[in-house]
Amino acid sequence: MEKNIIKILSDNKLFAWYFNNRNCILIIGMIVLVIIAICMTKIIIRKVGKIEYKIIYGKPMAHIIIAIIIGNGLNAAGLKLEFSIEHMPILLLSSAMLITVSIQLAECIRFYRNFERVIKRTNIIVIGIIESMVLLLAIMGRLEIIELLVAVVGNITLKIINTFIDNCTRIQNKCVINNKLLTRDYSVEQEEDLFKSRKRQLNRICIELEAFSGEPFAIAISGEWGSGKTSFVNALKGRLKQVEFVNVECSIEYDIKAVLRELSSQLQEIYKNNNVYTERNGAIDKYFEKIGELVDDAGYGGMTKIIDKFQNNENSSYWENKAIMNQELDEFYKLTKKRIYFIIDDMDRIIDDGMRAVIFQVIRKSVELHNCVTLFMVDYEQLKSERMSREFLEKYINHQFELCDTEFEDIVEHYENSFLADSFWDEKSDYIIENGKKLKRNIAEHGQKILVSIQREIQNLQDSIKNGNASEQDERINKMHLEYLLDVEARLQSRMKNPRKVKRYLADIQSKLTIVDLVWFQDENPGKNEYSLEDWVETIHDIAFLKAFLFEEYDELIKAKSFYIFKKDEKNSYVVEFILNGFGAWLTLNERKEEVIEKVIYKLYSLDINTDKSQHQKLIEEIEAGSLQEEKLNLYVNECLGLNFNFHRMEKILNYIEDHNFKSQRDKCEIMVNIISILSGNYDIYIDGLIDIMKRVKIIIDRERAEGDFNEKERRLIEHYMQVLQTRLIFGNSSNICILLGILHNEDFTGDFENKNIDSISQLCNIILKVNESFPLPEFNKADTELNTLKNYFERMKVEFSEERFSYAETEIMYFWEKVEYALEILEIWFGNFNSLNQDVTDLREYYDNVKGEFNQSALKNANNLTKALREVENYILAHPEDINPGGAFIKLLFDIEKIDKDNHDYWGKDKRKVIIALSNIYEKFEKTPVFIRAFGDRWIFCKIRLFQLRRNMNM
């Protein structure tokens, strides 16, 4: 069986074909590999800026050379390898490749999320197979030049592919991170990313360092935490040429020996990278080990003894090792022309003053070496202590380099385009784009205004205390407030110049704008929500400012868990009031602004436009959508009647009451009683549309009365509220009636009205009849009812006022008369003849249905109906200027009339001219109405063209 398989494999045509065409196959393969290698190398250089040629090209060639040397050496020594299969080497290579690739392909599918790592491992295995094959062929003495070249090119290409995966793939794309570095809380790496003022300082320090002669030298680069020391040093690294850096962070490493080991290992790595030989356990190791032994011998309690030995030459072994170390560094400089820079970071963050002093002295003495510069990155004021006075530090530090303050405006200008770039506004809502871009233009100014407002209040408080005019209690409060604000000003002055805090401030604005846009303003119609009318962007800015620069107060605000509970915190709430515009909104009764602030603080990241609405907002939306619920009818009525009267919504509620099949008739009766109680209440009775609502309510109540649905209590309540309404209308207009009578008859009737409590139709009728006896009106007749008598009298009064003698003040007189007429019209509904059970609700909308927003079919029946329909819609537009439905109805009406005109030019006969004039008049009256132009655009404007064509057909 085995022989048969070997025979099949040895006679395989595929291997025979390969050997017959081997040179062409290998040359083509090599060319393809070279092209792949060149393309990927260019991409890597473009992305990263450099490539490790030694590792990519040097190692594969070295390994191949070693394999050739070993293989040829063994062959020369007489080692012979013979196989019974003729093409055994290529069979082994093919089998190994096939098995490896198959296994790795399966793993790529299984680990598809980061298959690049599987490819990297596969490449490493294949490189090993190729090197083994070269060794095998060398031992057999069958290695040819073409195979050798393909092996070298193949290994180099696989190395380049691995480097490409490390630097340019989606898993480990460092370039993407670097492109967005300014928006992250990372230190900048490049000089061009520094502020302008820091660039000038960088130039100065570079000049000073270039003058360094080689003697030990130390500089303290000083700045507050977060002020950009690391960024400054990163830029310094880019500027300094022929320099190697040793980085030591002391904030965590409190163990001196661990720090010394880190120094030793980094120095040895520098020697190795620069191809300078240094022995293991050589001068570098021995030098730092010796210092470590001194630490062990003395213990931390006896550190002062070690420092004394450093200074007094008491320990000859230490000084001998240091001399050797200096020789090593001198030789390193001669060979490489490079100096060593020790960067010691965060030493000021070591809490224990004693430990900080010890570590500082040991490190400084340890790195006080030839051709070495030490850069201490510290907050100089924080580094100082009782043990480390200024004089003490000056002994170890040659120069203190204080980073200059960067102005808040400069920092914002530097970073704002990184956080709020033009691309940030893509696909944002119109509200966020408009208000957010306005904020971006003034973001530095807004922040500065907060500081200025605090400084101005400080000055006011200081002046008040200095003048001494305030009471003892007020003076005490002023001093307390002054203390608060002085502390706030000091913190703001420092923190607003801190780049890290400014970046967090801008990042917070960016993230909050994004989230509030997604969960609030991306809704189909966010403008319907009453909270959308408030200034979310301003609120987000103020809270981001508070969080970034006054985080102590912000933390207390978060802990309170409620905006209103926080206000009990006198100190913090007093400070926050200067930051949050609207924090004291209760003073101006602007509750919505305060609620928006609370939502941004406590709920922004979980905000839901569908749930974060007031009850008022939810009720209004249910009415608008026509999804009313029986159990909420009283709530709907309270929202739409009374102070928040809305004719359109109230119409929908009454439609529901008329059409709905109530579970209990008692519920319907209670709702009607509630409605009439509100109508009789104390609010503006002269609202447009209220009369139509009263008519509908009266009709419904009369029907319920006729059917016996009201019980005795409800009937008494209805009668009571009707009498209350009568009293309001009569008593409320008694002064207007008195004025009109006085003007008409040139007499003072004040006594007649003041001495009598006139609050009913009967009492008013008696007064009017008494006045008429003394000053009779021409053609006035007493009617069958008291209410009709009053109507007759005031109609005659109107005729009198139209005479020339009243023309000078006719407009003002009619203003008071119309109020009385309005009251009489309402009285007619409730106490006159408007109580017929045959009255249909649709009669109130005879030609124009304002609920459906369209004209009824009867409007086009004749010219008279159309004229009345136009009068109805005109009155409705005047009462509801924001409703767009009348505009749409008018457009459709004109379209229908135009169609009728084409079918029958002589429609309506001689009345046609009157209709066209009426149409023209109403369009011209509302032609420039913005709400119609916005809603219908060209369709509304084209109405004028239709009217022109109709008028031209009539030669008008």
Side-chain angles (χ1 to χ4, degrees):
M1 184 70 179
E2 292 177 0
K3 290 182 180 179
N4 291 338
I5 292 174
I6 291 172
K7 180 66 175 173
I8 291 170
L9 291 174
S10 62
D11 294 337
N12 192 290
K13 293 182 180 179
L14 182 61
F15 293 119
W17 176 83
Y18 164 75
F19 278 101
N20 291 333
N21 302 280
R22 184 182 60 169
N23 291 342
C24 290
I25 294 172
L26 292 179
I27 290 172
I28 292 171
M30 187 167 61
I31 293 171
V32 171
L33 290 174
V34 168
I35 293 171
I36 292 172
I38 292 171
C39 292
M40 287 192 171
T41 300
K42 288 183 177 180
I43 295 172
I44 294 168
I45 292 173
R46 186 169 63 249
K47 292 282 186 179
V48 182
K50 63 178 182 178
I51 192 167
E52 297 291 341
Y53 292 103
K54 290 181 182 178
I55 296 174
I56 293 176
Y57 293 93
K59 283 190 175 181
M61 293 181 68
H63 290 175
I64 294 292
I65 291 170
I66 292 170
I68 293 172
I69 293 171
I70 294 173
N72 288 333
L74 292 174
N75 181 267
L79 180 62
K80 300 292 184 183
L81 289 177
E82 294 182 0
F83 298 100
S84 60
I85 301 176
E86 184 179 356
H87 304 310
M88 190 61 187
I90 190 62
L91 175 62
L92 289 174
L93 178 63
S94 302
S95 301
M97 290 284 193
L98 184 62
I99 293 169
T100 301
V101 171
S102 299
I103 293 173
Q104 301 307 311
L105 181 62
E107 290 200 352
C108 280
I109 296 171
R110 180 184 176 188
F111 304 112
Y112 66 92
R113 295 189 186 277
N114 61 341
F115 65 90
E116 292 93 341
R117 295 188 179 181
V118 178
I119 294 174
K120 282 181 63 180
R121 187 180 65 179
T122 304
N123 290 344
I124 293 170
I125 295 172
V126 170
I127 288 171
I129 293 172
I130 292 172
E131 290 173 353
S132 301
M133 202 65 221
V134 170
L135 177 62
L136 177 62
L137 291 173
I139 293 173
M140 295 175 65
R142 292 178 51 184
L143 182 62
E144 298 182 10
I145 296 295
I146 186 68
E147 292 172 332
L148 177 62
L149 290 174
V150 171
V152 172
V153 171
N155 281 9
I156 290 173
T157 302
L158 292 174
K159 282 278 188 180
I160 291 174
I161 291 173
N162 282 0
T163 304
F164 179 85
I165 291 172
D166 284 337
N167 293 279
C168 304
T169 63
R170 64 186 178 90
I171 298 298
Q172 296 173 338
N173 195 341
K174 298 176 183 177
C175 303
V176 173
I177 295 175
N178 290 334
N179 289 337
K180 297 183 178 179
L181 196 59
L182 286 180
T183 64
R184 301 204 172 202
D185 193 15
Y186 293 152
S187 304
V188 300
E189 299 291 336
Q190 306 296 328
E191 180 182 344
E192 54 265 26
D193 294 330
L194 285 180
F195 305 116
K196 294 177 183 177
S197 56
R198 295 287 169 81
K199 288 179 182 178
R200 290 193 293 270
Q201 282 196 302
L202 181 65
N203 292 332
R204 292 204 303 271
I205 195 173
C206 285
I207 292 171
E208 189 168 339
L209 290 173
E210 285 171 3
F212 171 55
S213 62
E215 293 301 316
F217 191 73
I219 293 179
I221 297 178
S222 177
E224 293 183 355
W225 296 348
S227 62
K229 296 188 296 294
T230 303
S231 298
F232 185 80
V233 171
N234 287 343
L236 180 64
K237 289 179 180 179
R239 281 284 295 273
L240 295 175
K241 306 301 181 183
Q242 294 299 98
V243 169
E244 293 287 350
F245 294 94
V246 174
N247 299 281
V248 178
E249 291 194 20
C250 299
S251 56
I252 299 174
E253 296 288 356
Y254 292 87
D255 184 356
I256 286 288
K257 294 189 70 175
V259 174
L260 295 172
R261 285 195 297 270
E262 180 67 19
L263 289 169
S264 175
S265 63
Q266 288 194 43
L267 276 173
Q268 291 184 77
E269 187 67 24
I270 288 171
Y271 271 71
K272 180 180 177 183
N273 291 338
N274 284 276
N275 303 309
V276 176
Y277 176 70
T278 180
E279 299 179 22
R280 186 181 295 275
N281 297 321
I284 297 175
D285 280 333
K286 290 178 179 179
Y287 174 68
F288 287 104
E289 282 176 8
K290 184 59 184 179
I291 298 175
E293 289 174 7
L294 295 176
V295 173
D296 286 338
D297 292 342
Y300 285 108
M303 270 302 185
T304 53
K305 297 179 181 178
I306 301 173
I307 304 304
D308 289 339
K309 290 180 180 180
F310 284 161
Q311 296 173 347
N312 298 326
N313 274 352
E314 291 183 8
N315 192 303
S316 58
S317 178
Y318 160 73
W319 286 103
E320 289 172 358
N321 282 297
K322 184 170 184 177
I324 296 171
M325 184 70 193
N326 280 329
Q327 290 176 6
E328 289 279 342
L329 290 168
D330 287 337
E331 183 179 357
F332 179 83
Y333 179 72
K334 290 176 183 177
L335 294 171
T336 64
K337 301 301 180 184
K338 291 183 179 181
R339 302 190 191 279
I340 309 294
Y341 277 64
F342 294 93
I343 299 176
I344 315 298
D345 196 8
D346 290 340
M347 184 165 286
D348 51 323
R349 298 197 182 192
I350 299 174
I351 298 174
D352 189 323
D353 287 344
M355 182 61 66
R356 186 194 308 161
V358 169
I359 293 179
F360 174 78
Q361 292 176 85
V362 171
I363 290 179
R364 178 66 192 103
K365 297 301 292 185
S366 300
V367 298
E368 195 176 26
L369 301 166
H370 291 182
N371 297 301
C372 292
V373 175
T374 309
L375 300 178
F376 288 98
M377 296 164 58
V378 293
D379 181 344
Y380 208 73
E381 295 303 315
Q382 293 291 331
L383 184 64
K384 289 190 301 183
S385 64
E386 291 183 7
R387 291 173 178 262
M388 300 173 70
S389 64
R390 180 174 292 277
E391 291 75 14
F392 173 90
L393 291 173
E394 287 176 353
K395 179 179 179 180
Y396 293 95
I397 295 176
N398 300 86
H399 179 61
Q400 179 198 349
F401 196 81
E402 184 77 26
L403 290 182
C404 63
D405 285 335
T406 305
E407 295 301 320
F408 175 72
E409 294 88 341
D410 294 338
I411 304 175
V412 171
E413 181 184 359
H414 189 79
Y415 288 121
E416 66 181 357
N417 283 327
S418 299
F419 289 93
L420 301 173
D422 291 341
S423 59
F424 172 76
W425 309 106
D426 293 345
E427 299 181 2
K428 295 290 188 299
S429 63
D430 292 340
Y431 175 89
I432 293 296
I433 292 173
E434 179 182 353
N435 293 277
K437 286 189 174 181
K438 189 186 302 180
L439 169 69
K440 181 186 174 183
R441 289 193 297 269
N442 303 306
I443 194 167
E445 182 182 344
H446 287 334
Q448 201 64 36
K449 278 182 179 178
I450 293 173
L451 178 59
V452 170
S453 69
I454 291 172
Q455 291 172 333
R456 188 181 296 118
E457 184 62 19
I458 288 173
Q459 187 61 50
N460 293 338
L461 291 171
Q462 288 174 336
D463 292 344
S464 176
I465 294 170
K466 184 178 180 181
N467 294 335
N469 296 328
S471 65
E472 185 177 342
Q473 182 179 0
D474 288 343
E475 186 174 351
R476 180 182 60 81
I477 293 173
N478 287 344
K479 287 181 178 179
M480 181 173 62
H481 287 172
L482 179 61
E483 182 182 347
Y484 296 160
L485 294 184
L486 286 172
D487 173 57
V488 169
E489 184 196 22
R491 283 184 281 151
L492 285 179
Q493 289 280 19
S494 171
R495 293 170 182 176
M496 288 174 70
K497 297 175 181 178
N498 187 317
R500 179 173 294 163
K501 295 190 186 303
V502 175
K503 286 171 76 171
R504 291 176 181 175
Y505 160 64
L506 294 170
D508 211 37
I509 292 174
Q510 179 198 53
S511 63
K512 281 186 171 68
L513 283 177
T514 300
I515 294 168
V516 80
D517 178 64
L518 288 173
V519 302
W520 195 270
F521 291 100
Q522 292 290 351
D523 190 69
E524 289 183 4
N525 194 357
K528 280 189 174 181
N529 194 309
E530 57 197 314
Y531 293 127
S532 300
L533 303 177
E534 297 302 327
D535 196 337
W536 286 78
V537 175
E538 177 189 59
T539 302
I540 285 171
H541 165 267
D542 293 345
I543 292 168
F545 185 93
L546 181 70
K547 182 178 179 182
F549 303 117
L550 294 175
F551 47 81
E552 296 89 350
E553 285 80 1
Y554 178 82
D555 290 344
E556 292 302 318
L557 183 56
I558 295 298
K559 288 176 187 175
K561 297 182 180 178
S562 166
F563 207 41
Y564 306 101
I565 293 174
F566 176 71
K567 285 185 176 179
K568 297 177 182 178
D569 184 341
E570 183 178 352
K571 175 187 175 182
N572 290 313
S573 63
Y574 174 75
V575 172
V576 167
E577 189 169 346
F578 284 91
I579 313 301
L580 300 186
N581 183 17
F583 176 79
W586 55 276
L587 295 172
T588 59
L589 303 178
N590 187 5
E591 295 180 3
R592 293 283 176 265
K593 175 68 174 180
E594 199 166 78
E595 288 170 5
V596 167
I597 295 174
E598 188 162 16
K599 285 179 183 297
V600 174
I601 293 171
Y602 295 113
K603 300 181 68 178
L604 180 60
Y605 295 100
S606 60
L607 201 61
D608 185 346
I609 190 171
N610 294 317
T611 59
D612 288 275
K613 297 177 180 176
S614 64
Q615 184 186 41
H616 162 75
Q617 182 70 37
K618 293 175 183 177
L619 292 172
I620 293 304
E621 289 187 3
E622 288 174 7
I623 296 170
E624 292 286 358
S627 56
L628 287 80
Q629 302 174 43
E630 182 180 319
E631 60 274 14
K632 292 184 179 179
L633 273 175
N634 276 324
L635 296 175
Y636 298 139
V637 170
N638 292 335
E639 290 294 338
C640 299
L641 212 52
L643 294 176
N644 298 319
F645 177 76
N646 185 289
F647 173 79
H648 179 66
R649 293 169 185 157
M650 196 61 208
E651 286 266 273
K652 290 188 175 184
I653 295 171
L654 293 177
N655 290 343
Y656 180 86
I657 291 173
E658 289 173 341
D659 301 335
H660 182 64
N661 185 19
F662 282 80
K663 299 175 185 176
S664 169
Q665 194 62 31
R666 292 269 61 74
D667 294 338
K668 184 176 182 180
C669 293
E670 287 176 5
I671 290 163
M672 296 312 300
V673 171
N674 180 47
I675 290 174
I676 192 172
S677 71
I678 295 172
L679 290 173
S680 66
N682 185 24
Y683 70 97
D684 185 6
I685 203 74
Y686 303 105
I687 304 173
D688 289 331
L690 186 62
I691 286 179
D692 288 339
I693 295 299
M694 285 190 171
K695 287 179 181 179
R696 295 194 63 184
V697 172
K698 182 65 164 53
I699 291 168
I700 296 172
I701 288 177
D702 285 351
R703 286 178 181 172
E704 297 300 316
R705 277 174 166 171
E707 294 174 8
D709 291 331
F710 291 115
N711 58 31
E712 183 62 27
K713 179 182 177 182
E714 289 163 348
R715 285 197 296 272
R716 287 200 305 270
L717 283 172
I718 290 172
E719 292 297 330
H720 166 73
Y721 290 128
M722 288 173 63
Q723 291 305 316
V724 171
L725 180 60
Q726 181 183 160
T727 299
R728 276 195 61 208
L729 292 168
I730 300 296
F731 186 76
N733 277 283
S734 59
S735 62
N736 294 332
I737 297 169
C738 183
I739 291 170
L740 292 171
L741 290 172
I743 296 171
L744 181 63
H745 301 299
N746 197 22
E747 284 287 329
D748 185 6
F749 294 95
T750 306
D752 296 312
F753 283 86
E754 284 183 351
N755 297 331
K756 299 177 182 179
N757 188 17
I758 301 173
D759 60 3
S760 68
I761 295 173
S762 178
Q763 289 173 333
L764 179 59
C765 186
N766 290 336
I767 288 289
I768 294 298
L769 290 175
K770 183 179 177 182
V771 169
N772 193 64
E773 289 176 2
S774 303
F775 305 94
L777 276 179
E779 300 182 17
F780 166 68
N781 296 312
K782 185 179 178 181
D784 55 341
T785 65
E786 292 176 327
L787 183 57
N788 286 339
T789 298
L790 291 173
K791 289 170 66 178
N792 289 345
Y793 186 86
F794 285 101
E795 283 297 326
R796 288 303 308 153
M797 182 183 283
K798 182 181 181 182
V799 174
E800 292 293 317
F801 283 138
S802 64
E803 294 180 1
E804 181 66 27
R805 58 195 173 108
F806 297 107
S807 62
Y808 178 76
E810 182 181 1
T811 303
E812 289 71 25
I813 293 170
M814 294 311 297
Y815 169 78
F816 293 104
W817 183 88
E818 286 171 359
K819 284 180 175 288
V820 176
E821 182 192 42
Y822 194 92
L824 291 173
E825 193 172 353
I826 295 176
L827 290 170
E828 172 67 21
I829 296 170
W830 295 99
F831 303 99
N833 296 323
F834 189 82
N835 57 5
S836 172
L837 296 179
N838 295 323
Q839 176 80 41
D840 189 359
V841 176
T842 57
D843 291 343
L844 304 176
R845 305 186 298 269
E846 189 172 1
Y847 301 110
Y848 175 68
D849 188 338
N850 55 279
V851 175
K852 294 180 180 179
E854 60 186 32
F855 288 98
N856 297 326
Q857 290 297 320
S858 59
L860 289 172
K861 189 174 182 181
N862 53 58
N864 188 44
N865 284 7
L866 183 56
T867 304
K868 291 180 180 178
L870 293 174
R871 193 178 302 118
E872 275 189 25
V873 78
E874 179 181 356
N875 292 333
Y876 181 79
I877 293 172
L878 291 172
H880 306 88
E882 297 301 319
D883 192 350
I884 65 172
N885 290 331
F890 186 82
I891 293 170
K892 186 177 186 304
L893 179 71
L894 266 184
F895 177 80
D896 292 340
I897 291 173
E898 187 181 48
K899 186 178 179 183
I900 293 172
D901 186 61
K902 290 178 180 178
D903 294 341
N904 179 14
H905 183 68
D906 195 30
Y907 71 101
W908 297 339
K910 62 180 181 180
D911 291 332
K912 181 178 178 182
R913 177 178 293 271
K914 182 173 69 172
V915 168
I916 293 175
I917 291 173
L919 288 166
S920 300
N921 288 341
I922 190 172
Y923 178 77
E924 289 166 7
K925 189 171 185 177
F926 300 107
E927 181 179 2
K928 302 299 183 182
T929 303
V931 67
F932 292 159
I933 295 173
R934 284 197 304 269
F936 304 108
D938 293 347
R939 292 170 59 206
W940 176 252
I941 296 172
F942 193 73
C943 287
K944 196 73 172 278
I945 305 299
R946 286 200 168 100
L947 287 168
F948 168 74
Q949 292 170 340
L950 291 171
R951 293 169 69 92
R952 184 172 59 183
N953 292 340
M954 291 291 296
N955 296 319
M956 295 173 65

